[in-house]
Amino acid sequence: RYLLEQDFPGMRIGPEPTTDSFIAVMYGETEGNVPGNALVVDPKKPFRKLGRFGNAFLNRFMCSQLPNEVLKSISIIDSPGILSGEKQRISRGYDFCQVLQWFAERVDRIILLFDAHKLDISDEFSEAIKSFRGQDDKIRVVLNKADQVDTQQLMRVYGALMWSLGKVIDTPEVLRVYIGSFWAHPLRNTDNRRLFEAEAQDLFKDIQSLPQKAAVRKLNDLIKRARLAKVHAYIISYLKKEMPSVFGKENKKKELINKLPEIYIQLQREYHISAGDFPEVKKMQELLENCDFTKFHSLKPKLIEAVDNMLANKIASLMNLISQEESNMPTEMVQGGAFDGTMAGPFGHGYGEGAKEGADEEEWVVAKDKPAYDEIFYTLSPINGKISGISAKKEMVTSKLPNSVLGKIWKLADCDGDGMLDDEEFALAKHLIKIKLDGYELPGTLPSHLVPPSHRKPFQTAE
């Protein structure tokens, strides 16, 4: 709702537990709903394989179509909210985690939403996150409604969230968490406005870049599937080879299923395959219980060679084609909805702050603090109205900024490049130090509104 800036069919938002459905929010010329059973037989939609989850799921699945600019670039799958307690898991009537896993394998980004004022990772949420295993690079976390707590509480909530996630997601890397209030209502607590703005910008940039990376991600998934298919072929053909031709088939099958971890190790050594390419042992053992090993196919080396050739040669040429297409086509970005207002006018990120402060004013922005800077300037024994680099250095290092930063500030402040600073250049240097100490970045080149008044004419002529 926040991203689209309009309601979509089937949407229900409230403090109580609301949606129990998966809603695919997609672009359509007319506004309307398509129910799940009709959706899985539509050849134009990518949901046909979801039919295997049965009616219990399809009754809680629908596609919501509307003519929204944002949806021209991305489609959004809105999943049901996850509640604590055993009852919700039992009453769904379908394998919730399996459905999540199906979507996770096919999407570009997974966003986990947490409320800052009621932080809880229930058993079902924990199981849901575990079903995203192998898709860790797609996961982003949003700590929403962060304006409902003060700064001290927010720090505690953030720490508790990271601790809880660390127990559920088994990766050494820390997940990226975006903190903010993602709805179009006044902030209840404005102390962290700047933080919320910066976090929202980062999240928008992340979402906006998705269309550009879609082709590479699909290629990446193709490579992943090809490797898995190859490993699957080795496992199946090995089980087929080990089966007796006449007697004792059932006993041999049980023995092979129990020995699956050892078979994995043997195949890893024989074909030089990484352990990470093999399917999970427990899951594979469960699936093999219902299979007839005698009907499995023997290994076909020609097909394996074809896969190896594709991975070694054809994928590289496909990557070249993708990069050529990207360089020839305009950069595709998500537009419309909340994405359009993010950089508009004076509300663009960082507008009027740091080095951009005073850009709209006629008076030189440094002038208001210049009297204080002048007092310091005249204690540094200027000669002919200028101080040497050594004198300036003594004063500038008191800021405790590293030399690399102070060197950049010197380069920006020494407008005439004579290795000395007059009173205006010194005031500019102090202003740039203040910008850096306030946590803003320095500009690459000196913006025209920061150029000292006495240096403006020659500066502009030189340009």
Side-chain angles (χ1 to χ4, degrees):
R1 173 68 184 78
Y2 176 72
L3 294 177
L4 301 180
E5 290 188 341
Q6 73 174 95
D7 292 353
F8 54 87
M11 182 189 87
R12 274 179 67 215
I13 296 173
E16 79 285 4
T18 50
T19 48
D20 66 341
S21 302
F22 280 86
I23 304 175
V25 188
M26 303 176 83
Y27 183 81
E29 293 298 330
T30 53
E31 201 169 303
N33 275 337
V34 182
N37 281 294
L39 205 54
V40 293
V41 294
D42 186 349
K44 292 178 182 174
K45 296 277 190 295
F47 304 118
R48 301 191 80 171
K49 294 278 172 72
L50 282 167
R52 68 186 169 94
F53 293 108
N55 273 335
F57 165 69
L58 296 177
N59 290 337
R60 291 185 174 89
F61 177 49
M62 64 176 190
C63 176
S64 182
Q65 293 183 315
L66 65 157
N68 185 290
E69 188 74 19
V70 175
L71 299 173
K72 285 183 178 178
S73 314
I74 54 171
S75 296
I76 301 167
I77 307 295
D78 179 22
S79 65
I82 297 175
L83 307 170
S84 5
E86 190 68 22
K87 179 178 169 287
Q88 280 72 29
R89 192 181 342 205
I90 295 163
S91 64
R92 288 195 194 273
Y94 60 91
D95 194 329
F96 180 64
C97 289
Q98 283 284 310
V99 174
L100 285 178
Q101 195 175 353
W102 188 93
F103 279 115
E105 286 167 1
R106 288 157 179 82
V107 297
D108 290 289
R109 187 65 74 240
I110 300 163
I111 297 178
L112 304 177
L113 279 159
F114 292 89
D115 281 5
H117 66 97
K118 48 178 182 185
L119 190 64
D120 175 34
I121 298 186
S122 64
D123 293 346
E124 193 182 24
F125 202 175
S126 180
E127 289 298 314
I129 294 171
K130 282 174 185 169
S131 69
F132 299 143
R133 203 161 272 163
Q135 315 293 337
D136 304 322
D137 58 319
K138 296 179 181 178
I139 298 175
R140 301 289 183 271
V141 178
V142 168
L143 184 58
N144 197 14
K145 304 180 186 176
D147 65 323
Q148 298 193 10
V149 293
D150 62 34
T151 307
Q152 187 182 16
Q153 290 170 324
L154 185 59
M155 284 177 69
R156 287 178 180 160
V157 168
Y158 179 79
L161 174 63
M162 297 308 285
W163 183 79
S164 304
L165 285 172
K167 289 170 71 180
V168 181
I169 298 172
D170 302 326
T171 56
E173 295 81 18
V174 176
L175 279 176
R176 177 68 163 98
V177 177
Y178 299 92
I179 302 167
S181 177
F182 295 93
W183 68 339
H185 289 261
L187 298 175
R188 287 195 189 177
N189 192 324
T190 56
D191 295 352
N192 299 308
R193 176 187 279 274
R194 258 183 65 194
L195 170 70
F196 298 161
E197 283 172 6
E199 293 284 282
Q201 286 301 326
D202 287 353
L203 180 61
F204 284 165
K205 277 179 194 166
D206 189 62
I207 296 170
Q208 281 184 307
S209 66
L210 292 178
Q212 294 168 259
K213 297 171 186 169
V216 176
R217 186 195 61 80
K218 283 173 186 166
L219 195 58
N220 188 48
D221 283 354
L222 173 68
I223 298 164
K224 206 190 288 183
R225 287 177 75 85
R227 288 163 71 104
L228 291 173
K230 203 170 101 172
V231 171
H232 196 74
Y234 287 136
I235 297 167
I236 296 301
S237 60
Y238 181 89
L239 297 173
K240 162 82 173 174
K241 191 175 71 178
E242 292 294 307
M243 285 299 282
S245 51
V246 186
F247 300 112
K249 290 178 184 177
E250 204 54 41
N251 288 337
K252 187 66 178 174
K253 176 182 167 179
K254 282 178 186 170
E255 186 194 325
L256 287 168
I257 289 172
N258 291 332
K259 277 175 64 185
L260 197 63
E262 295 160 42
I263 293 167
Y264 277 14
I265 294 164
Q266 193 179 326
L267 292 172
Q268 283 168 34
R269 286 179 188 149
E270 193 178 334
Y271 296 106
H272 309 292
I273 305 166
S274 164
D277 286 350
F278 282 79
E280 204 182 321
V281 175
K282 234 181 206 176
K283 194 178 172 188
M284 194 68 172
Q285 285 171 328
E286 285 170 19
L287 292 168
L288 288 171
E289 291 280 357
N290 306 316
C291 297
D292 182 355
F293 288 13
T294 55
K295 290 182 179 173
F296 287 166
H297 292 283
S298 302
L299 192 69
K300 294 174 181 168
K302 276 195 173 178
L303 291 178
I304 299 289
E305 274 175 38
V307 173
D308 285 338
N309 178 43
M310 179 195 79
L311 291 171
N313 305 315
K314 295 185 178 175
I315 293 291
S317 57
L318 267 176
M319 278 300 292
N320 285 336
L321 284 171
I322 288 171
S323 55
Q324 280 171 20
E325 267 189 22
E326 281 177 355
S327 58
N328 294 336
M329 286 166 68
T331 308
E332 193 182 345
M333 296 284 272
V334 181
Q335 291 177 326
F339 298 97
D340 272 1
T342 54
M343 300 301 283
F347 297 97
H349 181 53
Y351 190 95
E353 297 173 0
K356 295 173 187 172
E357 187 191 351
D360 297 339
E361 296 168 21
E362 281 186 30
E363 195 182 343
W364 189 38
V365 70
V366 185
K368 62 179 186 290
D369 296 318
K370 193 169 180 290
Y373 298 148
D374 281 349
E375 281 181 29
I376 302 166
F377 179 77
Y378 289 111
T379 63
L380 299 172
S381 313
I383 300 162
N384 299 327
K386 293 193 174 192
I387 56 168
S388 65
I390 295 167
S391 302
K393 183 181 176 180
K394 280 178 189 169
E395 173 57 32
M396 287 168 75
V397 293
T398 59
S399 67
K400 297 183 181 175
L401 286 171
N403 279 357
S404 55
V405 175
L406 292 173
K408 191 175 181 184
I409 289 170
W410 174 271
K411 202 174 171 185
L412 292 168
D414 186 12
C415 297
D416 50 16
D418 64 352
M420 301 177 86
L421 301 181
D422 61 25
D423 60 328
E424 286 186 346
E425 289 173 324
F426 178 76
L428 173 61
K430 292 292 281 181
H431 180 73
L432 292 170
I433 287 170
K434 182 173 171 284
I435 286 170
K436 191 64 187 170
L437 291 175
D438 286 346
Y440 299 101
E441 286 305 310
L442 294 170
T445 54
L446 195 66
S448 55
H449 70 277
L450 285 182
V451 178
S454 64
H455 290 265
R456 283 185 186 180
K457 278 185 182 172
F459 190 84
Q460 285 161 355
T461 316
E463 276 191 338

